[in-house]
Amino acid sequence: MADKGEEQRRATPAATPSAAPSAAPSAVPSSAPTGPAAEPPVPPARPLDSIDRDILRILQTDGRASIRSVAERVHVSRANAYARINRLVEDGVIRGFGARVDHERAGQGASAYITLKIVQNSWRTVREQLQALPGATHIALVSGDFDVLLLVHTPDNRALRELVLTRIQSIPEVLSTRTLLVFEETDLGPRPDRPAELA
C-alpha cells in the first residue's frame, strides 16, 4: 500500500553496501554473541559441509535445541557438535541467537516496510540512527528506486506515524520516505517440511 503522506524530498539518492539482521538458538556455546554489538572483524568463511548445514537448519528451526539434541540428530558426538557450533559462531555464519516473535500477540499491532532515499555515501550514518529506532527489526541497503528498506513493528498506527514523521524524517541524511503498511505476514523460516533448505 502506498505512502500515507510522508513523501519528503531534499536532493539525490545513493548508497554504499554493508550489514543486516540476526538469527536463532539457546543451549549453545557461551561464546556466542547475544545482542546488538559493534561489528567485529569476521575471519574468511570456511566451507560448510552437510553436517554444518544440518546443524544450521536445526538451530534455525528450533533455537532452543540443546547440544545433545543437535548431536544426536546429526549423528556426531556432543564435543563435535559443540566445536562445530562454536566454529560457525566464530566464522560469523551464526550471527546471534534469539526468539521468533509474533509481533501482533506481543502488542505490536502495526507493521510497515519503509523505503528511504538517502544522501549519497551516508549509509553507515543512517544505519546507526535507524538501528536505534524502537520497533526496527530489519534494515537493508538495496538497489533500485530507493536506497534503504526498513521493517518496523509498533503498537499502533499512531505510533507508526510518529516514528516516520518525527523520528525518521528528522534524520538529516534522509531525503524522502514511503510507508508500506503490512496487513498480514508469514514467517518463512526453515521448517521440517522443507528438507532442501540450506542444501
Side-chain angles (χ1 to χ4, degrees), residues 105-117:
R105 293 182 69 86
Q108 296 178 306
S111 299
Y113 286 96
I114 302 168
T115 69
L116 296 83
K117 290 185 179 181

Side-chain angles (χ1 to χ4, degrees), residues 36-145:
E39 297 170 22
V42 178
R46 288 173 272 191
L48 304 184
D49 61 19
S50 60
I51 294 175
D52 292 326
R53 290 190 177 89
D54 285 344
I55 288 172
L56 288 175
R57 187 180 301 114
I58 290 166
L59 294 180
Q60 285 182 287
T61 305
D62 178 8
R64 301 202 301 173
S66 66
I67 295 288
R68 178 179 177 178
S69 165
V70 170
E72 287 173 355
R73 289 161 69 180
V74 299
H75 310 293
V76 298
S77 69
R78 274 188 281 184
N80 188 336
Y82 186 90
R84 283 174 177 269
I85 292 170
N86 251 343
R87 178 171 61 79
L88 291 168
V89 170
E90 288 165 6
D91 284 359
V93 177
I94 294 177
R95 302 181 61 181
F97 302 105
R100 292 211 300 268
V101 176
D102 183 319
H103 295 283
E104 190 170 359
R105 293 182 69 86
Q108 296 178 306
S111 299
Y113 286 96
I114 302 168
T115 69
L116 296 83
K117 290 185 179 181
I118 62 174
V119 171
Q120 189 163 5
N121 299 324
S122 65
W123 161 239
R124 287 175 178 80
T125 302
V126 171
R127 184 183 62 194
E128 284 179 16
Q129 296 177 79
L130 295 179
Q131 285 174 328
L133 294 175
T137 59
H138 184 77
I139 305 167
L141 181 68
V142 297
S143 64
D145 294 336

Side-chain angles (χ1 to χ4, degrees), residues 177-192:
T177 68
R178 189 169 186 186
T179 300
L180 309 171
L181 294 178
V182 174
F183 296 131
E184 187 175 327
E185 54 188 325
T186 302
D187 184 359
L188 297 181
R191 301 191 311 258

